[in-house]
């Protein structure tokens, strides 16, 4: 998923979250407004009933309203005495409901259409008196509708604003990421030593910059390593080619033939160098292939004066070509530095097989052990390409290799046992 898709998902998530929050708030506010309106209308109905009840009196055994109260409540309140309407004008639309509430045994509310009816019995001796009042709910319903509409409009604006803020914020954040990515890519190609240099950032962008710095460090190390290897390859290939050219020129000047054995030796050396380089470039970990130890050691020592000491019937958990790729450069290096003899000594050690490449040459100094396999490392005699490439092949195939300073040429290779 690209940055555009990531931005779209973040904005969509922000809009969805804002929509859910606004929906909850709108529903909650509408419920609260409805309950408040209901409480107000009921309180108004009770107040009207109490006002009308205060005007009721009994004169000469008859129930009547106090004179002079006017007709303000005639269409909103009705007084019943002994089941008979004493005061008020009924609406045909609610006449049945009012008649139903005219004989209450307790206070009662009844909602019909857009009206709220309330009946309250009065404590009048020898008479059954009740007051019924009405409250028009239409204004309250319109108010609730307006409130809901405004809430929905404000909610839509909040959602839109949340989406805009999320889009702008994510776009600005991703713009920084895009710029950092472009700079890192440019530096990796043209200026691998450049770094952001923000240290261990406390925020995400600081951490991202630190990650890019480490990535650029690895790229720079890889480029430097490959350059050193290229220099070693050029040197290793130039040597046999120079020998062949020199011998050919001497033979041409002397009018003689070039020594075939010398040509074969230098050609084999050149072929071995090329093969080793290709093996180092193509090596990959091998999980399933295996080979017999003694067979692989005999194969790698063909054409070389090498003494082999190895246990029989021991198998290695790597292919024979990997054994050859690792040991051949070590044997060539041992042959160049040996005074008289080169050995291959193999020993089992638990799940591993340790193969020692030995020669009776001057060997390695203790201070050389940490750098002897580094690209570009060579001595006056020339360890050449071999040791650097051996380390590459060993790392690519999961093997272990180390030099040992014991007064002779000694390199140990650890192979997994099958």
């Amino acid at each position: 998923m690209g940055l555009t898709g990531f931005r779209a998902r973040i904005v969509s998530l922000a809009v969805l979250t804002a929509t859910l929050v606004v929906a909850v708030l709108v529903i909650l506010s509408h419920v609260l407004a409805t309950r408040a309106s209901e409480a107000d209308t009921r309180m108004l109905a009770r107040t009207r009933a109490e006002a009308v009840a205060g005007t009721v009196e009994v004169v000469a055994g008859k129930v009547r309203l106090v004179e002079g109260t006017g007709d303000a409540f005639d269409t909103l309140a009705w007084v019943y005495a002994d089941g008979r309407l004493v005061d008020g004008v009924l609406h045909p639309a609610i006449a049945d409901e009012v008649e139903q509430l005219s004989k209450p045994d307790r206070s009662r509310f009844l909602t019909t259409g857009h009206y709220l009816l309330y009946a309250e019995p009065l404590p009048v001796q020898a008479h059954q008196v009740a007051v019924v009042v009405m409250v028009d709910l239409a204004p309250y319903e319109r108010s609730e509708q307006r409130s809901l509409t405004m809430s929905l409009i404000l909610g839509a604006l909040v959602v839109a604003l949340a989406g805009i803020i999320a889009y702008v914020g994510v776009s600005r954040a991703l713009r920084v990421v895009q710029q950092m990515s472009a700079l890192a890519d440019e530096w990796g190609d043209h200026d691998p030593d450049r770094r952001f240099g923000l240290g261990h950032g406390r925020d995400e962008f600081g951490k991202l910059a630190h990650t890019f710095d480490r990535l650029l460090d690895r790229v720079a190390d890889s480029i430097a390593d490959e350059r050193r290897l290229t220099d070693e390859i050029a040197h290793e290939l130039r040597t046999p080619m120079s020998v062949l050219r020199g011998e050919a020129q001497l033979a041409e000047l002397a009018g003689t033939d070039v020594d075939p054995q010398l040509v074969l030796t230098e050609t084999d050396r050149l072929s071995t160098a090329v093969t080793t380089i290709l093996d180092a470039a193509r090596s990959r970990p091998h999980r399933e292939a295996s080979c017999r130890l003694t067979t692989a050691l005999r194969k790698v020592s063909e054409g070389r004066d090498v003494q082999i000491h190895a246990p029989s019937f021991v198998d290695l958990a790597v292919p024979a070509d990997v054994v050859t790729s690792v040991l051949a450069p070590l044997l060539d290096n041992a042959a160049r530095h040996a005074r008289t003899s080169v050995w291959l000594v193999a020993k089992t050690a638990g799940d591993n097989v340790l193969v020692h490449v030995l020669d009776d040459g001057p060997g390695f100094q203790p201070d050389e052990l940490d750098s002897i396999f580094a690209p570009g490392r060579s001595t006056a005699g020339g360890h050449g390409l071999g040791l650097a490439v051996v380390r590459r092949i060993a790392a690519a195939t999961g093997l272990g290799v180390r030099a040992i300073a014991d007064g002779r040429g000694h390199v140990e290779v650890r192979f997994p046992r099958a």
Side-chain angles (χ1 to χ4, degrees), residues 2 68 148 151 226 250 285 355:
L148 179 60
S151 297
E226 295 302 326
L250 288 175
V355 177

Side-chain angles (χ1 to χ4, degrees), residues 54-55 65-74 87:
T55 65
L65 270 64
V66 177
E67 295 183 2
T69 57
D71 57 358
F73 289 137
D74 283 350
D87 187 74

Side-chain angles (χ1 to χ4, degrees), residues 143-318:
S143 177
E144 292 175 12
Q145 187 66 34
R146 287 194 298 269
S147 176
L148 179 60
T149 302
M150 292 300 298
S151 297
L152 291 175
I153 294 175
L154 290 177
L157 292 177
V158 169
V159 171
L161 183 61
I164 294 173
I165 293 175
Y167 180 84
V168 173
V170 173
S171 297
R172 292 186 61 183
L174 293 183
R175 189 179 303 116
V176 175
V177 176
Q178 289 174 330
Q179 292 173 352
M180 293 175 65
S181 178
L183 288 174
D185 186 58
E186 180 181 355
W187 295 347
D189 290 337
H190 308 292
D191 193 4
D193 295 330
R194 290 283 299 277
R195 300 293 183 270
F196 294 102
L198 299 181
H200 295 276
R202 297 181 180 180
D203 58 6
E204 287 75 10
F205 294 119
K207 294 178 181 178
L208 180 61
H210 181 65
T211 300
F212 274 134
D213 284 344
R214 289 187 297 169
L215 176 61
L216 291 173
D217 287 338
R218 290 195 294 270
V219 171
D221 292 341
S222 177
I223 293 175
D225 189 38
E226 295 302 326
R227 287 174 178 173
R228 287 192 295 267
L229 180 62
T230 301
D231 293 338
E232 292 181 355
I233 292 172
H235 173 75
E236 189 70 13
L237 297 181
R238 187 185 300 114
T239 300
M241 295 176 65
S242 298
V243 172
L244 290 174
R245 180 177 178 82
E247 290 296 328
Q249 289 176 338
L250 288 175
E252 182 181 13
L253 292 175
T256 59
D257 295 331
V258 179
D259 183 4
Q261 186 60 40
L262 176 63
V263 174
L264 291 175
T265 300
E266 295 302 323
T267 303
D268 289 342
R269 182 180 178 185
L270 182 62
S271 177
T272 300
V274 173
T275 301
T276 302
I277 293 168
L278 292 176
D279 289 339
R282 298 172 179 173
S283 293
R284 295 291 185 272
H286 296 271
R287 304 283 183 185
E288 301 178 356
S290 62
C291 66
R292 181 57 57 87
L293 173 63
T294 52
T295 302
L297 296 183
R298 285 196 297 268
K299 179 180 178 181
V300 74
S301 62
E302 289 180 358
R304 297 180 175 90
D305 185 11
V306 180
Q307 302 179 38
I308 300 176
H309 303 281
S312 303
F313 307 108
V314 174
D315 292 333
L316 303 179
V318 294

Side-chain angles (χ1 to χ4, degrees), residues 32-48 109 116 134-137 139-140 143-144:
L32 293 177
T34 301
R35 291 187 176 181
S37 296
E38 182 180 358
D40 290 343
T41 55
R42 292 198 172 204
M43 182 177 294
L44 177 60
R46 289 192 181 98
T47 302
R48 285 182 178 178
F109 285 97
L116 174 67
M134 179 191 72
V135 176
D136 188 0
L137 299 179
Y140 296 92
S143 177
E144 292 175 12

Side-chain angles (χ1 to χ4, degrees), residues 68-90:
T69 57
D71 57 358
F73 289 137
D74 283 350
T75 59
L76 301 176
W78 304 270
V79 178
Y80 283 84
D82 301 322
R84 181 175 58 86
L85 180 63
V86 176
D87 187 74
V89 179
L90 284 175

